[in-house]
PDB file of all heavy atoms in Angstrom:
ATOM      1  N   PHE A 114      22.694   1.460 -22.574  1.00  0.00           N
ATOM      2  CA  PHE A 114      23.942   2.096 -22.122  1.00  0.00           C
ATOM      3  C   PHE A 114      23.812   2.692 -20.721  1.00  0.00           C
ATOM      4  O   PHE A 114      24.737   3.348 -20.243  1.00  0.00           O
ATOM      5  CB  PHE A 114      24.304   3.225 -23.110  1.00  0.00           C
ATOM      6  CG  PHE A 114      23.095   4.079 -23.425  1.00  0.00           C
ATOM      7  CD1 PHE A 114      22.709   5.090 -22.581  1.00  0.00           C
ATOM      8  CD2 PHE A 114      22.313   3.802 -24.537  1.00  0.00           C
ATOM      9  CE1 PHE A 114      21.574   5.833 -22.831  1.00  0.00           C
ATOM     10  CE2 PHE A 114      21.167   4.556 -24.807  1.00  0.00           C
ATOM     11  CZ  PHE A 114      20.804   5.573 -23.953  1.00  0.00           C
ATOM     12  N   MET A 163      17.025  14.216 -14.520  1.00  0.00           N
ATOM     13  CA  MET A 163      17.935  13.355 -15.278  1.00  0.00           C
ATOM     14  C   MET A 163      18.633  12.359 -14.361  1.00  0.00           C
ATOM     15  O   MET A 163      19.704  11.858 -14.654  1.00  0.00           O
ATOM     16  CB  MET A 163      18.964  14.208 -16.032  1.00  0.00           C
ATOM     17  CG  MET A 163      18.327  15.093 -17.086  1.00  0.00           C
ATOM     18  SD  MET A 163      19.513  16.007 -18.039  1.00  0.00           S
ATOM     19  CE  MET A 163      18.448  17.119 -18.960  1.00  0.00           C
ATOM     20  N   GLY A 166      15.342   6.822 -13.139  1.00  0.00           N
ATOM     21  CA  GLY A 166      13.910   6.674 -13.406  1.00  0.00           C
ATOM     22  C   GLY A 166      13.423   7.422 -14.627  1.00  0.00           C
ATOM     23  O   GLY A 166      14.110   8.267 -15.186  1.00  0.00           O
ATOM     24  N   GLU A 167      12.216   7.064 -15.016  1.00  0.00           N
ATOM     25  CA  GLU A 167      11.565   7.702 -16.161  1.00  0.00           C
ATOM     26  C   GLU A 167      10.441   8.594 -15.609  1.00  0.00           C
ATOM     27  O   GLU A 167       9.411   8.090 -15.150  1.00  0.00           O
ATOM     28  CB  GLU A 167      11.015   6.611 -17.095  1.00  0.00           C
ATOM     29  CG  GLU A 167      10.108   7.102 -18.194  1.00  0.00           C
ATOM     30  CD  GLU A 167      10.605   8.345 -18.927  1.00  0.00           C
ATOM     31  OE1 GLU A 167      11.760   8.400 -19.347  1.00  0.00           O
ATOM     32  OE2 GLU A 167       9.800   9.281 -19.070  1.00  0.00           O
ATOM     33  N   SER A 196      13.423  15.322 -18.411  1.00  0.00           N
ATOM     34  CA  SER A 196      14.036  14.527 -19.471  1.00  0.00           C
ATOM     35  C   SER A 196      13.313  13.185 -19.552  1.00  0.00           C
ATOM     36  O   SER A 196      13.132  12.506 -18.541  1.00  0.00           O
ATOM     37  CB  SER A 196      15.512  14.307 -19.127  1.00  0.00           C
ATOM     38  OG  SER A 196      16.097  13.404 -20.028  1.00  0.00           O
ATOM     39  N   THR A 197      12.898  12.822 -20.753  1.00  0.00           N
ATOM     40  CA  THR A 197      12.136  11.580 -20.904  1.00  0.00           C
ATOM     41  C   THR A 197      12.632  10.745 -22.078  1.00  0.00           C
ATOM     42  O   THR A 197      13.089  11.288 -23.077  1.00  0.00           O
ATOM     43  CB  THR A 197      10.627  11.853 -21.091  1.00  0.00           C
ATOM     44  OG1 THR A 197       9.956  10.619 -21.400  1.00  0.00           O
ATOM     45  CG2 THR A 197      10.349  12.850 -22.206  1.00  0.00           C
ATOM     46  N   VAL A 198      12.498   9.450 -21.925  1.00  0.00           N
ATOM     47  CA  VAL A 198      12.834   8.530 -22.998  1.00  0.00           C
ATOM     48  C   VAL A 198      11.835   8.697 -24.155  1.00  0.00           C
ATOM     49  O   VAL A 198      12.082   8.287 -25.272  1.00  0.00           O
ATOM     50  CB  VAL A 198      12.854   7.085 -22.434  1.00  0.00           C
ATOM     51  CG1 VAL A 198      11.443   6.580 -22.184  1.00  0.00           C
ATOM     52  CG2 VAL A 198      13.636   6.136 -23.284  1.00  0.00           C
ATOM     53  N   SER A 221      15.123  12.007 -24.870  1.00  0.00           N
ATOM     54  CA  SER A 221      16.343  11.209 -25.052  1.00  0.00           C
ATOM     55  C   SER A 221      16.220  10.460 -26.365  1.00  0.00           C
ATOM     56  O   SER A 221      15.676   9.354 -26.414  1.00  0.00           O
ATOM     57  CB  SER A 221      16.487  10.230 -23.881  1.00  0.00           C
ATOM     58  OG  SER A 221      16.716  10.977 -22.719  1.00  0.00           O
ATOM     59  N   HIS A 223      18.832   9.829 -28.959  1.00  0.00           N
ATOM     60  CA  HIS A 223      19.981   8.922 -29.153  1.00  0.00           C
ATOM     61  C   HIS A 223      20.169   8.373 -30.560  1.00  0.00           C
ATOM     62  O   HIS A 223      21.244   7.909 -30.894  1.00  0.00           O
ATOM     63  CB  HIS A 223      19.966   7.771 -28.139  1.00  0.00           C
ATOM     64  CG  HIS A 223      19.839   8.242 -26.732  1.00  0.00           C
ATOM     65  ND1 HIS A 223      20.552   9.308 -26.238  1.00  0.00           N
ATOM     66  CD2 HIS A 223      19.072   7.821 -25.704  1.00  0.00           C
ATOM     67  CE1 HIS A 223      20.222   9.512 -24.979  1.00  0.00           C
ATOM     68  NE2 HIS A 223      19.324   8.627 -24.624  1.00  0.00           N
ATOM     69  N   GLU A 266      18.288  14.879 -26.535  1.00  0.00           N
ATOM     70  CA  GLU A 266      19.550  14.400 -25.950  1.00  0.00           C
ATOM     71  C   GLU A 266      20.068  13.248 -26.817  1.00  0.00           C
ATOM     72  O   GLU A 266      19.283  12.440 -27.329  1.00  0.00           O
ATOM     73  CB  GLU A 266      19.323  13.918 -24.524  1.00  0.00           C
ATOM     74  CG  GLU A 266      18.959  15.058 -23.581  1.00  0.00           C
ATOM     75  CD  GLU A 266      18.385  14.543 -22.282  1.00  0.00           C
ATOM     76  OE1 GLU A 266      17.194  14.152 -22.288  1.00  0.00           O
ATOM     77  OE2 GLU A 266      19.115  14.517 -21.286  1.00  0.00           O
ATOM     78  N   TYR A 300      29.365   9.556 -23.848  1.00  0.00           N
ATOM     79  CA  TYR A 300      28.965   8.385 -23.045  1.00  0.00           C
ATOM     80  C   TYR A 300      29.811   8.298 -21.767  1.00  0.00           C
ATOM     81  O   TYR A 300      31.035   8.407 -21.810  1.00  0.00           O
ATOM     82  CB  TYR A 300      29.157   7.123 -23.901  1.00  0.00           C
ATOM     83  CG  TYR A 300      29.073   5.823 -23.137  1.00  0.00           C
ATOM     84  CD1 TYR A 300      27.879   5.389 -22.590  1.00  0.00           C
ATOM     85  CD2 TYR A 300      30.212   5.030 -22.959  1.00  0.00           C
ATOM     86  CE1 TYR A 300      27.809   4.194 -21.884  1.00  0.00           C
ATOM     87  CE2 TYR A 300      30.144   3.836 -22.268  1.00  0.00           C
ATOM     88  CZ  TYR A 300      28.941   3.428 -21.725  1.00  0.00           C
ATOM     89  OH  TYR A 300      28.880   2.248 -21.026  1.00  0.00           O
ATOM     90  N   ASN A 301      29.130   8.116 -20.660  1.00  0.00           N
ATOM     91  CA  ASN A 301      29.835   7.907 -19.387  1.00  0.00           C
ATOM     92  C   ASN A 301      29.931   6.413 -19.131  1.00  0.00           C
ATOM     93  O   ASN A 301      28.951   5.687 -19.302  1.00  0.00           O
ATOM     94  CB  ASN A 301      29.068   8.578 -18.241  1.00  0.00           C
ATOM     95  CG  ASN A 301      28.990  10.078 -18.451  1.00  0.00           C
ATOM     96  OD1 ASN A 301      30.009  10.734 -18.658  1.00  0.00           O
ATOM     97  ND2 ASN A 301      27.781  10.622 -18.443  1.00  0.00           N
ATOM     98  N   THR A 303      29.710   2.819 -18.032  1.00  0.00           N
ATOM     99  CA  THR A 303      28.866   1.955 -17.196  1.00  0.00           C
ATOM    100  C   THR A 303      29.246   0.530 -17.604  1.00  0.00           C
ATOM    101  O   THR A 303      30.008   0.345 -18.544  1.00  0.00           O
ATOM    102  CB  THR A 303      27.355   2.151 -17.478  1.00  0.00           C
ATOM    103  OG1 THR A 303      27.076   1.735 -18.823  1.00  0.00           O
ATOM    104  CG2 THR A 303      26.907   3.582 -17.309  1.00  0.00           C
ATOM    105  N   CYS A 343      25.642  11.450 -15.955  1.00  0.00           N
ATOM    106  CA  CYS A 343      24.443  10.922 -16.611  1.00  0.00           C
ATOM    107  C   CYS A 343      24.547   9.426 -16.806  1.00  0.00           C
ATOM    108  O   CYS A 343      25.522   8.941 -17.369  1.00  0.00           O
ATOM    109  CB  CYS A 343      24.286  11.512 -18.012  1.00  0.00           C
ATOM    110  SG  CYS A 343      23.713  13.169 -18.037  1.00  0.00           S
ATOM    111  N   GLY A 344      23.550   8.710 -16.373  1.00  0.00           N
ATOM    112  CA  GLY A 344      23.472   7.285 -16.659  1.00  0.00           C
ATOM    113  C   GLY A 344      24.309   6.415 -15.749  1.00  0.00           C
ATOM    114  O   GLY A 344      24.325   5.204 -15.900  1.00  0.00           O
TER     115      GLY A 344
HETATM  116  N1  SAH B   1      14.596   8.451 -18.088  1.00  0.00           N
HETATM  117  C1  SAH B   1      14.995   9.781 -18.452  1.00  0.00           C
HETATM  118  C2  SAH B   1      16.181  10.288 -17.606  1.00  0.00           C
HETATM  119  C3  SAH B   1      17.445   9.533 -17.886  1.00  0.00           C
HETATM  120  S1  SAH B   1      18.995  10.194 -17.399  1.00  0.00           S
HETATM  121  C4  SAH B   1      15.356   9.824 -19.925  1.00  0.00           C
HETATM  122  O1  SAH B   1      15.447   8.768 -20.541  1.00  0.00           O
HETATM  123  O2  SAH B   1      15.536  10.919 -20.449  1.00  0.00           O
HETATM  124  C5  SAH B   1      19.300  11.590 -18.399  1.00  0.00           C
HETATM  125  C6  SAH B   1      20.041  11.347 -19.723  1.00  0.00           C
HETATM  126  O3  SAH B   1      21.270  10.642 -19.571  1.00  0.00           O
HETATM  127  C7  SAH B   1      19.204  10.590 -20.729  1.00  0.00           C
HETATM  128  O4  SAH B   1      19.276  11.212 -21.987  1.00  0.00           O
HETATM  129  C8  SAH B   1      19.914   9.258 -20.754  1.00  0.00           C
HETATM  130  O5  SAH B   1      19.661   8.537 -21.921  1.00  0.00           O
HETATM  131  C9  SAH B   1      21.357   9.693 -20.614  1.00  0.00           C
HETATM  132  N2  SAH B   1      22.264   8.584 -20.240  1.00  0.00           N
HETATM  133  C10 SAH B   1      21.952   7.407 -19.688  1.00  0.00           C
HETATM  134  N3  SAH B   1      23.056   6.646 -19.538  1.00  0.00           N
HETATM  135  C11 SAH B   1      24.094   7.369 -19.984  1.00  0.00           C
HETATM  136  C12 SAH B   1      25.489   7.145 -20.054  1.00  0.00           C
HETATM  137  N4  SAH B   1      26.033   6.026 -19.610  1.00  0.00           N
HETATM  138  N5  SAH B   1      26.266   8.122 -20.580  1.00  0.00           N
HETATM  139  C13 SAH B   1      25.722   9.287 -20.996  1.00  0.00           C
HETATM  140  N6  SAH B   1      24.409   9.561 -20.924  1.00  0.00           N
HETATM  141  C14 SAH B   1      23.596   8.617 -20.444  1.00  0.00           C
END
Side-chain angles (χ1 to χ4, degrees):
F114 46 82
M163 296 184 189
E167 170 45 49
S196 172
T197 173
V198 74
S221 294
H223 308 316
E266 293 165 283
Y300 168 68
N301 298 307
T303 65
C343 284

